[in-house]
Amino acid sequence: MKVFADAAFVALGLTIFLVQSLSASDDFDLHFEQGTLLLTQGRTAEAKLEFARCLELRPKHAGLHYQLARLHFLDFNQTPDLRVAFQALPVALAEVGKTLKENPTHLDALRLKFDLLRFPKLLHYDPNAAFETALEMISLNPSCYDFRLEAAQWMSGEVRFVTNRKKQVPQDSIVGLERALTQFDSALKAVPPYSSQEQRGLFLMARTLAKAGRFSESLAYFQSRLQRPLSDEERMESFRGLATSYFRLGRFREAAEACLNALRSKLNAIDLWLLRISAERVKGGVSIVPQQYVFPLREEPQASLKNGLLEFTDIAPALKINRLDGNGPCAWGDYDHDGDLDLLVGGSDRFIALYKNNAGSFSEATVQAKLSGMPSGYSLNFVDYDNDGWLDIYVCLNGWSGPLPNRLLRNLGNGTFQDVSKPAGVDDAGSGFVSLWGDLDRDGDLDLVVANGVLKDGSTPQIYRNQGDGTFENVTRKAGMVEPPEYGTIGIALGDYDRDGDLDLFINGWDPAPNRLYRNNGDFTFTEVAQQAGVTQPSHGGFVCFFFDYNNDAYPDILATSLAPWPAVVESLKRGFSVRSPSELHPDAPRLFRNEKNGTFSDVTVESGLYFPMGIMAGGVADLDNDGFLDLYFGTGDPELSRLEPNRFFHNNGDGTFSDLTMTTGLGNLGKGHGITFVDFDNDGDLDLYAQLGGFFRGDWWENAFYRNEKGNQNHWLQIELAGSKTNRFAVGTVVIARAGDLTFYREVKGSEGFGSTDPYRVSLGLGRRSQVDELQVLWPSGKKQEFHSIGADRLIEIRETDSQFRTVR
């Protein structure tokens, strides 16, 4: 009897258990279904309550954790305060991890993980991990061609993968392109012929081959796609890609024919422009183009060439410094103390290269200087950080390439450099771009500002205070420059806009971030005053920016540039383009803010003639014809290979206006413009222009140009070398104010500017027809003031902080 009683008891218990389990299961399903419905409706707070009940019942349910991941990702997208929203992302990623722990083949979770890792703005940017996740998805579902194409398109875009391949930079773009080509090839061998996946794959394959510089191979894929049924827009983009590959191969007539076919598919200004620049390289030139397809190029004002002194010759090939580069900066400085200015260059997919100046000729000294294998970055600074009189090197390595610590390379004084980044404390790991040096506290040592956040990956601009012993302290928070992680920064500039003796900081807004102007309070703290100062503008793709005195009133003005969309740029190149009022300005037109000498600025962009939207990535400020007024040279473009935009030269007319003289002067190089520097290489009194050229991908490498100034020294000039004692040795931050007849000059010695590039620290003044400088003041950061009178023109002089007289060098 007892046996039967025990069995009955067990059966009863099992029944109760099954009933409870079924009840719990029903309860779970009810809450789960309700939670997912609320999540679909965007009611995340209510959904959380339902999912919380589910967690009590089935804490290891893979599908539940995936829904929680979706919920937190939705929270991120719906929360207006991004600082709060960003807190949801690590939770979402953790829930994805729990999902995959319980079910490693959960495709939806893998997809969400891929997205969380591949977008920098989500602050968990890890291209390598995203790539591995994509491969997992493809292996689990090899027939999911739409995802395969999407993932491969991402791999072929502006993403860099960290690798340890020998003889390649750690983040060589070819790695992503090769990975993408493998996926495109696999997909094209399997997708149905004439399917939407096939025609998309053909186009992406062709474009990726072009990015890799394999232009001949790309032609067949563009042509194959053109045999498929396409919309007018798709035919146009295919012919444009075909034209671009022909152009890069030097087959200009075929490029022009492809442009004509693009225009027959869809009339548009971009292909009219590409047709023009292709036809110009064919015998007969633009005359071979049917009249209805002639691009109406804007004529340049010849009146602005009245002195006839703007003539240039590219001597880079003759000097063998026409290195093929991707996007990168450049720097000039006498690193070996032999009296000649040496050249340091960088570029994407390239290691940096050091060219030693041998009294007018160059030899590469990278190996001898122990700089072999140093990756390039987006800033190359020749800077004496330890104030020992020898120029050191700072490299901002990250930028769009992803996480790599910046490098500080100390000049050992024997022609070699040593990496001291970590012990010095400036191995900044943010997505850095421009790095600037200046004595922010006027203690005699150079401090460092790094513009972080180009990837919008949460890294923000940082300030490092030089402690005078070879080390730096990160004082960003103490200094009061705590920026939102979503801002992102590319362009920054240092200058004393309020003339109170210390350096202020301007940050060019990188959409959606606004412009910021940080006034130096004199105690190594800063106050943001952009709104009060009047230097705000609509959201824009802000790149390089400058403090410079464009109108010679002895107060530095501000120029904020932008990378404008290519269609807007092409329209601005047309005859008749003009802007009559600030309300008509394109959001990505540059902005010139005139200093009103009372702490405020006025937007004078329209009246100055700088209202043209341009794809400005880099720039420089210099008086190229020595007429006494600072001119502007812009490096232009973007990563798109078909964007063949000329670099631009704007001449300062001396009356508050600028004239675009790009074509007239021959400075409109089509190579993507990045590092731009000015140097009197031949010591003849006028400034020559070195332009580092090249784009993001290998297929966009261009030879660097070095434009020798042929006639600028026909105007008078004065050049000044400054040597500090209490001030830093190279006098960075020192102000020179000079008067020559009716001209007044205001110049600040810069510790790098523009696209992370470094000009020589020499001050150059163009005097026009004036034969002397009547009065010269030197205002040192130490507080010392010197004054000199009646200095004859056409000479290089040296002024030491310790001396009462200047010395004529030559």
Side-chain angles (χ1 to χ4, degrees):
M1 274 308 276
K2 185 175 184 305
V3 173
F4 288 108
D6 288 345
F9 181 77
V10 170
L12 178 61
L14 181 59
T15 301
I16 293 170
F17 173 76
L18 289 172
V19 170
Q20 289 176 337
S21 296
L22 288 170
S23 175
S25 178
D26 290 343
D27 200 23
F28 175 88
D29 291 342
L30 182 64
H31 287 291
F32 186 81
E33 184 176 349
Q34 184 64 17
T36 52
L37 178 61
L38 290 166
L39 181 57
T40 302
Q41 296 171 351
R43 296 156 64 182
T44 56
E46 296 167 77
K48 283 177 186 176
L49 295 175
E50 298 295 332
F51 290 145
R53 177 62 181 142
C54 292
L55 279 172
E56 293 174 4
L57 298 169
R58 300 180 66 178
K60 293 187 177 183
H61 191 277
L64 172 60
H65 286 293
Y66 174 67
Q67 293 302 326
L68 285 167
R70 291 183 64 234
L71 184 148
H72 290 290
F73 191 51
L74 188 62
D75 262 352
F76 164 75
N77 285 285
Q78 287 186 335
T79 304
D81 185 342
L82 280 176
R83 281 169 288 192
V84 175
F86 282 135
Q87 297 172 14
L89 291 174
V91 184
L93 198 55
E95 293 295 341
V96 167
K98 292 175 184 177
T99 306
L100 294 172
K101 181 180 179 181
E102 299 302 322
N103 180 5
T105 63
H106 196 295
L107 287 174
D108 291 331
L110 284 169
R111 173 55 199 253
L112 182 54
K113 180 181 177 182
F114 173 66
D115 285 338
L116 286 167
L117 295 173
R118 71 171 170 144
F119 292 123
K121 69 176 183 179
L122 299 183
L123 309 191
H124 292 273
Y125 186 54
D126 190 336
N128 286 49
F131 169 69
E132 295 298 333
T133 303
L135 290 188
E136 284 185 64
M137 286 195 66
I138 291 168
S139 66
L140 290 169
N141 191 3
S143 297
C144 185
Y145 299 115
D146 286 328
F147 174 76
R148 188 190 289 258
L149 292 173
E150 180 188 349
Q153 185 175 4
W154 166 73
M155 295 171 202
S156 69
E158 294 171 50
V159 57
R160 295 293 172 91
F161 298 96
V162 178
T163 64
N164 294 314
R165 294 185 181 184
K166 292 182 178 179
K167 298 183 180 180
Q168 279 187 309
V169 295
Q171 295 161 317
D172 196 324
S173 69
I174 202 67
V175 175
L177 298 178
E178 287 172 350
R179 290 173 173 178
L181 289 170
T182 298
Q183 297 304 323
F184 290 139
D185 184 61
S186 297
L188 287 172
K189 288 176 179 175
V191 295
Y194 278 71
S195 65
S196 60
Q197 290 106 328
E198 188 209 37
Q199 72 99 337
R200 182 183 172 206
L202 288 169
F203 179 70
L204 292 173
M205 183 75 162
R207 197 165 67 168
T208 304
L209 285 167
K211 288 178 179 179
R214 295 160 62 177
F215 297 110
S216 295
E217 295 172 68
S218 76
L219 298 175
Y221 288 94
F222 281 125
Q223 289 161 344
S224 292
R225 192 203 192 202
L226 284 163
Q227 295 170 14
R228 274 44 176 180
L230 301 174
S231 67
D232 289 343
E233 184 78 26
E234 290 166 338
R235 288 181 62 80
M236 179 198 69
E237 70 177 3
S238 298
F239 277 121
R240 184 180 298 168
L242 196 63
T244 302
S245 288
Y246 279 134
F247 190 95
R248 298 303 179 93
L249 289 167
R251 295 163 64 174
F252 300 118
R253 185 174 291 278
E254 290 159 296
E257 290 171 357
C259 288
L260 280 170
N261 283 322
L263 290 164
R264 291 173 184 130
S265 300
K266 185 177 180 180
L267 187 64
N268 66 93
I270 290 175
D271 290 304
L272 286 175
W273 167 260
L274 295 176
L275 173 59
R276 182 182 184 97
I277 63 172
S278 298
E280 285 174 344
R281 290 157 174 78
V282 177
K283 186 176 180 180
V286 178
S287 63
I288 69 170
V289 177
Q291 188 59 40
Q292 69 267 34
Y293 294 130
V294 173
F295 185 89
L297 184 63
R298 174 166 38 83
E299 295 180 356
E300 295 180 348
Q302 297 302 305
S304 297
L305 276 172
K306 56 182 180 295
N307 62 24
L309 302 184
L310 291 167
E311 185 178 311
F312 302 89
T313 303
D314 183 5
I315 59 173
L319 294 175
K320 298 181 180 178
I321 51 174
N322 57 326
R323 190 171 89 138
L324 281 168
D325 269 322
N327 51 343
C330 51
W332 290 88
D334 183 6
Y335 83 95
D336 54 1
H337 279 200
D338 68 350
D340 295 317
L341 291 168
D342 310 297
L343 174 64
L344 186 67
V345 294
S348 55
D349 299 350
R350 302 298 305 269
F351 296 107
I352 66 173
L354 176 64
Y355 291 95
K356 177 178 166 54
N357 187 338
N358 305 297
S361 65
F362 288 89
S363 59
E364 188 172 346
T366 312
V367 175
Q368 299 92 312
K370 297 188 177 179
L371 294 173
S372 299
M374 176 58 60
S376 296
Y378 292 95
S379 254
L380 277 182
N381 304 149
F382 262 139
V383 57
D384 182 14
Y385 83 95
D386 53 1
N387 213 22
D388 65 353
W390 294 86
L391 287 173
D392 313 296
I393 298 171
Y394 190 71
V395 188
C396 230
L397 280 180
N398 331 93
W400 275 289
S401 299
L404 275 180
N406 293 348
R407 303 288 182 85
L408 178 61
L409 310 170
R410 183 170 181 264
N411 191 330
L412 300 181
N414 59 4
T416 68
F417 294 83
Q418 178 186 22
D419 190 337
V420 296
S421 317
K422 187 170 287 293
V426 287
D427 53 337
D428 189 288
S431 57
F433 205 87
V434 172
S435 53
L436 298 179
W437 296 82
D439 189 356
L440 299 179
D441 54 359
R442 300 172 63 178
D443 66 349
D445 298 309
L446 290 178
D447 310 299
L448 169 66
V449 183
V450 179
N452 280 333
V454 60
L455 287 175
K456 298 179 185 172
D457 58 351
S459 57
T460 56
Q462 302 294 302
I463 300 178
Y464 294 89
R465 186 176 195 167
N466 193 327
Q467 303 192 97
D469 58 1
T471 68
F472 293 78
E473 177 192 5
N474 189 321
V475 295
T476 310
R477 186 167 292 277
K478 289 181 188 176
M481 199 175 77
V482 182
E483 299 226 305
E486 69 272 16
Y487 267 17
T489 304
I490 292 179
I492 58 176
L494 288 173
D496 183 11
Y497 82 91
D498 51 4
R499 294 284 308 274
D500 65 352
D502 47 37
L503 291 171
D504 310 297
L505 175 66
F506 179 76
I507 300 181
N508 196 2
W510 175 231
D511 186 26
N515 293 347
R516 285 90 80 199
L517 177 60
Y518 286 97
R519 186 186 65 224
N520 191 329
N521 299 322
D523 57 0
F524 222 119
T525 67
F526 295 81
T527 301
E528 204 288 299
V529 295
Q531 192 77 38
Q532 303 93 299
V535 291
T536 59
Q537 63 186 100
S539 290
H540 59 290
F543 262 68
V544 296
C545 52
F546 303 91
F547 283 103
F548 79 117
D549 182 14
Y550 84 97
N551 57 354
N552 286 354
D553 66 353
Y555 272 77
D557 312 291
I558 294 176
L559 176 68
T561 73
S562 296
L563 200 167
W566 186 212
V569 172
V570 173
E571 289 299 323
S572 77
L573 289 168
K574 288 183 178 179
R575 188 181 307 121
F577 179 87
S578 66
V579 173
R580 293 180 295 274
S581 70
S583 63
E584 296 178 9
L585 279 170
H586 190 281
D588 286 305
R591 290 297 199 280
L592 179 62
F593 297 101
R594 184 179 63 210
N595 195 327
E596 299 297 348
K597 309 181 188 179
N598 59 3
T600 69
F601 293 78
S602 296
D603 186 337
V604 295
T605 308
V606 173
E607 63 194 73
S608 72
L610 289 175
Y611 48 71
F612 301 98
M614 294 171 275
I616 299 173
M617 298 185 291
V621 175
D623 181 3
L624 290 182
D625 57 356
N626 276 339
D627 67 349
F629 294 90
L630 292 170
D631 309 306
L632 301 169
Y633 187 72
F634 298 128
T636 61
D638 71 13
E640 177 56 51
L641 264 64
S642 64
R643 182 166 180 159
L644 296 171
E645 177 180 358
N647 292 342
R648 306 285 279 278
F649 171 70
F650 281 79
H651 178 251
N652 190 330
N653 300 318
D655 58 0
T657 69
F658 291 82
S659 293
D660 184 352
L661 299 181
T662 301
M663 305 302 179
T664 306
T665 56
L667 294 174
N669 198 304
L670 293 176
K672 305 296 170 63
H674 289 94
I676 290 168
T677 47
F678 303 96
V679 54
D680 185 6
F681 168 72
D682 46 9
N683 294 316
D684 65 350
D686 54 28
L687 292 171
D688 311 297
L689 190 166
Y690 189 81
Q692 193 279 358
L693 302 169
F696 194 85
F697 301 105
R698 294 227 180 163
D700 218 0
W701 284 2
W702 297 75
E703 288 189 0
N704 295 342
F706 190 22
Y707 294 106
R708 183 177 62 205
N709 195 329
E710 301 291 3
K711 295 183 176 179
N713 62 1
Q714 293 181 29
N715 271 330
H716 292 302
W717 52 272
L718 179 70
Q719 294 181 351
I720 308 163
E721 294 276 12
L722 297 165
S725 54
K726 287 186 69 176
T727 295
N728 60 86
R729 297 281 189 93
F730 287 86
V732 175
T734 301
V735 172
V736 173
I737 301 175
R739 183 177 58 81
D742 58 336
L743 280 181
T744 300
F745 303 93
Y746 177 93
R747 301 286 189 271
E748 295 177 358
V749 180
K750 305 287 188 179
S752 79
E753 66 178 354
F755 192 94
S757 297
T758 313
D759 288 324
Y761 293 112
R762 181 182 299 174
V763 175
S764 294
L765 303 178
L767 305 179
R769 298 292 91 191
R770 301 153 192 86
S771 59
Q772 73 170 20
V773 169
D774 302 310
E775 181 181 345
L776 178 72
Q777 293 181 7
V778 181
L779 309 178
W780 299 87
S782 65
K784 183 168 183 176
K785 177 180 176 181
Q786 295 170 317
E787 193 167 309
F788 306 93
H789 298 273
S790 302
I791 305 171
D794 305 330
R795 67 172 81 179
L796 167 64
I797 65 173
E798 181 187 55
I799 299 176
R800 295 182 173 273
E801 188 176 9
T802 54
D803 297 347
S804 59
Q805 300 293 324
F806 66 83
R807 180 178 71 90
T808 298
V809 178
R810 63 171 177 272

